[in-house]
Amino acid sequence: IALPEKPGWTGKGAGGMDFGRIHYSAVTALSEAHDGRLWVRECWTGHNDKDQIKAKVREHERRYGVRRGVTAPIQDWAAQDLGWQIAKSGAGSRKGRIQRVLSLLENDVLRFDKYGEGVQDLWDEMHMYRYEIRETDTMIEDVVVRKDDDRVAALEYGVEAMEMQGDPLPRTYRG
């Protein structure tokens, strides 16, 4: 949806970054409004140039108050160069991040600025995500099916970074 004219920001902002070894890299910026909602303000995608990524993160710091961030588990350079945390990894961590984003959406806590740079592309990419059942002779499990998921991964990391600011997410919206 379109960002309200005067949303009133709390000053809490967070970012997420997914480094695309094959696909483009993505950097998201999220801001918290006074009503408790998280807004995806921007989703930049670009080539896998570390200097471009660092420049975009600095811009998000200035424009959206991004003070912390989370990056993909295998991107030690970003954690070191940006001062960000490395995402949780291990069994179920990806599904956990997906469930967190779904919960925020279901509770009307997460919103996407329709006119934010790259946000529509992120929204469109989210619609390609789904679970499918994979069955073998020894097990049946739900697996995440995704394609060109750099933007969505960056969003998941940004949500994880917002959680690290102290307030548990999601908060049920009582607007």
Side-chain angles (χ1 to χ4, degrees), residues 113-173:
D113 177 6
K114 182 177 186 171
Y115 301 109
E117 180 184 331
V119 175
Q120 184 66 52
D121 294 329
L122 166 60
W123 181 255
D124 294 342
E125 187 177 287
M126 286 180 64
H127 286 90
M128 290 188 275
Y129 259 52
R130 66 185 186 282
Y131 284 102
E132 287 185 356
I133 296 176
R134 180 172 57 189
E135 186 173 346
T136 67
D137 291 338
T138 57
M139 71 176 167
I140 299 174
E141 66 177 340
D142 285 336
V143 295
V144 177
V145 178
R146 59 188 195 257
K147 181 182 178 198
D148 301 335
D149 65 336
D150 302 300
R151 293 176 185 98
V152 174
L155 170 65
E156 293 168 5
Y157 299 143
V159 167
E160 191 171 309
M162 286 299 287
E163 288 181 316
M164 293 177 175
Q165 295 196 45
D167 294 331
L169 298 176
R171 293 173 307 278
T172 302
Y173 177 69

Side-chain angles (χ1 to χ4, degrees), residues 51-69:
D51 289 332
Q52 285 183 5
I53 292 168
K54 289 189 270 187
K56 184 50 71 171
V57 168
R58 285 191 299 275
E59 180 184 323
H60 287 177
E61 288 173 356
R62 285 189 308 274
R63 291 182 72 192
Y64 307 117
V66 171
R67 298 288 177 255
R68 63 177 41 221

Side-chain angles (χ1 to χ4, degrees), residues 2-10 31-37 39 41 113:
L3 191 67
E5 193 170 313
K6 294 183 181 183
W9 303 110
T10 65
S31 299
E32 183 181 57
H34 283 297
D35 67 3
R37 287 189 170 115
W39 283 86
R41 308 287 301 282
D113 177 6

